């Protein structure tokens, strides 16, 4: 899991993995196990989104992609563990279109640095990233 608010090297996991030849894959780019209301209501993401006529979802996803991380996202922010939208066809089409649009624009280095500096919402960048498994990874140096 990696999303805005965790910093570009969440808890050192990205740099540790890359030293081992493992690339970072962000599966919780909007929060996990559900999209984070704190993230999606961020005044910084809203401000940047307003400038580019983009939603906070698009800004959050663009930050991950522009950071050089592979990303997997749900087809809409209405999806979460154990729930889906009430009108899935319409929302899925709109969500996929919105997500694909992150490749059509870019933020400035200053905007990226501002999002890098966000300290909330944080998260636990572990496998499955649930509250039930914090601290499951212990980092040791070789």
């Amino acid at each position: 899991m990696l999303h805005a608010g965790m910093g570009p090297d969440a808890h050192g996991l990205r740099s540790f993995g890359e030293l081992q030849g493992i690339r970072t894959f962000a599966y919780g780019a909007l929060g996990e196990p559900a999209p984070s209301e704190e993230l999606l209501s961020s005044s910084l993401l809203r401000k940047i989104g307003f400038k580019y006529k983009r939603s906070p979802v698009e800004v959050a996803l663009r930050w991950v992609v522009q950071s050089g991380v592979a990303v997997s996202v749900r087809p809409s922010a209405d999806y979460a563990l154990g729930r889906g939208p009430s009108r899935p066809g319409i929302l899925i089409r709109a969500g996929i279109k919105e997500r694909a649009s992150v490749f059509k624009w870019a933020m400035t280095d200053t905007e990226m640095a501002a999002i890098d500096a966000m300290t909330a919402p944080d998260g636990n960048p572990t496998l499955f990233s649930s509250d039930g498994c914090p601290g499951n990874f212990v980092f040791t140096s070789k």
Side-chain angles (χ1 to χ4, degrees):
M1 174 174 75
L2 179 68
H3 58 72
M6 296 176 76
D9 187 17
H11 302 266
L13 183 61
R14 184 174 180 188
S15 58
F16 176 81
E18 298 217 358
L19 282 172
Q20 311 305 312
I22 302 167
R23 299 290 300 174
T24 301
F25 183 86
Y27 67 88
L30 301 177
E32 190 65 33
S36 166
E37 285 302 317
E38 181 180 0
L39 177 65
L40 298 181
S41 64
S42 160
S43 61
L44 177 60
L45 298 187
R46 289 184 178 283
K47 179 181 173 185
I48 293 170
F50 181 79
K51 174 183 173 183
Y52 294 102
K53 296 184 172 81
R54 303 289 177 176
S55 71
V57 168
E58 290 171 288
V59 175
L61 294 176
R62 180 65 205 179
W63 175 81
V64 172
V65 170
Q66 197 166 324
S67 295
V69 175
V71 65
S72 171
V73 296
R74 293 175 177 94
S76 93
D78 293 316
Y79 275 87
L81 189 61
R83 76 166 204 245
S86 59
R87 296 173 30 203
I90 293 167
L91 289 173
I92 289 172
R93 280 190 295 278
I96 290 172
K97 185 177 179 180
E98 180 181 50
R99 279 136 184 75
S101 75
V102 303
F103 298 102
K104 297 179 179 178
W105 65 286
M107 291 183 275
T108 66
D109 291 343
T110 301
E111 291 161 341
M112 287 293 292
I115 297 174
D116 286 350
M118 289 174 60
T119 59
D122 195 5
N124 182 24
T126 63
L127 182 61
F128 303 118
S129 261
S130 71
D131 292 336
C133 61
N136 276 348
F137 289 99
V138 177
F139 301 112
T140 59
S141 58
K142 288 186 172 185

